[in-house]
Amino acid sequence: MGSTEDLDYPQTILQYSSGFLVSKVMFTASELGVFDLLLESGEPLSSDAIAARLGTSTTGMERLLDACVGLKLLAVELTQEGALYRNTEISNIYLTKSSPKSQYHIMMYYSNTVYLCWHYLADAVREGRNQYERVFGVSSEDPFGAMYRSEEEMLKFMAGQNSVWSICGRDVLSAFDLSPFRQICDLGGDFFNNSIPEAELYILSKILHDWDDDKCRQLLAKVYKACKPGGGVLLVESLLNEDKSGPLETQLYSMNMLVQTEGKERTAAEYSKLLEAAGFGEVQVKRTGKLYDAVLGRK
């Protein structure tokens, strides 16, 4: 941003302004079942056929399909019978429910929960707290009470987390040699109030970014106390650069932590400081180049 071209015509600014429109097009096509239908059909379909089978208007569906073509989520072929649409390879892999790498569930969580919270981003910045009370009528002091406000919402949230893990988990778990650890605990549940079982390695996947520094120190102290000598803790988090200049995705995640939780994204040094304050040492950091990175501390 800031190039001569942008100063003459604000292409970057215009792209940023329409960014949420792009997201909603992809979310809507997923929610309506466009990508699933085209995969199951085994052949390209017309907009009229897709609209009829999905129970939508023909005019609305045609515009949605054309927008997906523009986003390279669909491809179109013009024939004598008219335009025929098919999935692109990336849509078959990541946007169909049946794919093992499907991102459908996390997108539905973003569309139906995160999107609503971001409507109140300005309020979150003014107040410095999450916006669940405005959005869902749930106390802002109980962010997980909002995420788990019904069994259906809890299942949606967990399915969304599994979606992301399907494309990031292998890189995180292979970041370090974890073979010496025989007893591993993937920490979840009400870990502030419940006891933590004894183990050699604790995996805290996307947990600390939900909480402020004081609660992180409290939790890590409990983990350290329960951890066997020679054991450790593996943090799975999206790491900011040390000067917090990026990555952009992590900066946006940190904004999302503001509107949805009590926490924030942190740098490797900040996580290392939290681990050391709890007693862990020999802290190692591995950036995966994908959504989530790995930080390992030893007792």
Side-chain angles (χ1 to χ4, degrees):
M1 188 172 174
S3 66
T4 303
E5 292 80 4
D6 276 324
L7 296 178
D8 291 336
Y9 180 77
Q11 185 64 42
T12 303
I13 295 296
L14 295 176
Q15 288 175 345
Y16 290 172
S17 297
S18 62
F20 75 98
L21 304 179
V22 172
S23 300
K24 267 306 205 181
V25 165
M26 182 172 65
F27 295 162
T28 299
S30 296
E31 181 178 347
L32 293 176
V34 170
F35 305 112
D36 295 311
L37 173 60
L38 289 171
L39 176 66
E40 292 162 5
S41 72
E43 62 181 4
L45 297 175
S46 68
S47 60
D48 286 350
I50 295 170
R53 291 171 68 172
L54 297 180
T56 74
S57 69
T58 55
T59 55
M61 180 54 69
E62 184 179 22
R63 295 183 197 185
L64 179 64
L65 296 174
D66 287 341
C68 286
V69 171
L71 294 174
K72 296 181 171 54
L73 302 177
L74 295 179
V76 65
E77 178 185 356
L78 297 179
T79 70
Q80 290 184 341
E81 291 75 29
L84 298 177
Y85 299 86
R86 61 175 174 82
N87 286 344
T88 55
E89 187 175 4
I90 195 170
S91 296
N92 277 334
I93 296 172
Y94 296 109
L95 300 181
T96 57
K97 295 189 193 76
S98 60
S99 170
K101 293 186 176 181
S102 175
Q103 297 303 293
Y104 170 82
H105 293 291
I106 192 63
M107 287 195 302
M108 291 303 95
Y109 175 70
Y110 265 68
S111 183
N112 299 321
T113 299
V114 177
Y115 187 81
L116 300 180
C117 292
W118 275 66
H119 179 73
Y120 298 99
L121 178 60
D123 295 290
V125 171
R126 291 188 191 100
E127 300 165 5
R129 62 188 179 94
N130 71 67
Q131 296 299 301
Y132 276 124
E133 190 167 346
R134 281 191 174 90
V135 180
F136 301 113
V138 177
S139 171
S140 61
E141 297 180 2
D142 183 20
F144 281 88
M147 292 181 195
Y148 298 160
R149 59 191 180 275
S150 70
E151 184 175 359
E152 181 184 9
E153 287 300 316
M154 181 182 70
L155 292 175
K156 285 181 182 178
F157 176 73
M158 298 307 296
Q161 298 306 302
N162 289 338
S163 295
V164 178
W165 191 251
S166 72
I167 60 173
C168 299
R170 183 184 299 273
D171 295 276
V172 168
L173 293 179
S174 62
F176 303 108
D177 178 13
L178 303 180
S179 60
F181 303 107
R182 300 298 179 187
Q183 190 179 8
I184 299 176
C185 174
D186 186 2
L187 198 62
D190 190 0
F191 32 70
F192 287 111
N193 296 316
N194 297 338
S195 61
I196 294 176
E198 185 179 71
E200 294 180 5
L201 177 69
Y202 297 87
I203 299 176
L204 276 65
S205 179
K206 297 169 287 181
I207 288 178
L208 295 188
H209 75 165
D210 291 328
W211 306 102
D212 62 25
D213 287 352
D214 286 341
K215 285 193 174 177
C216 286
R217 282 188 285 265
Q218 178 186 340
L219 176 57
L220 289 172
K222 287 186 69 173
V223 171
Y224 184 85
K225 184 177 180 180
C227 185
K228 290 183 176 181
V233 59
L234 176 68
L235 307 182
V236 179
E237 297 287 358
S238 185
L239 296 177
L240 287 165
N241 298 338
E242 290 304 324
D243 63 359
K244 300 189 178 180
S245 61
L248 175 59
E249 285 177 330
T250 309
Q251 292 167 327
L252 295 176
Y253 290 159
S254 202
M255 294 301 300
N256 194 49
M257 293 301 100
L258 175 64
V259 298
Q260 283 200 278
T261 73
E262 298 178 11
K264 62 181 180 180
E265 305 298 348
R266 297 175 173 89
T267 66
E270 288 173 325
Y271 280 117
S272 297
K273 187 176 179 181
L274 289 172
L275 287 169
E276 289 164 357
F280 291 101
E282 302 177 42
V283 177
Q284 302 174 68
V285 177
K286 182 67 178 290
R287 292 181 179 271
T288 67
K290 296 185 179 179
L291 284 177
Y292 295 107
D293 306 301
V295 182
L296 180 66
R298 302 293 294 264
K299 179 174 180 178

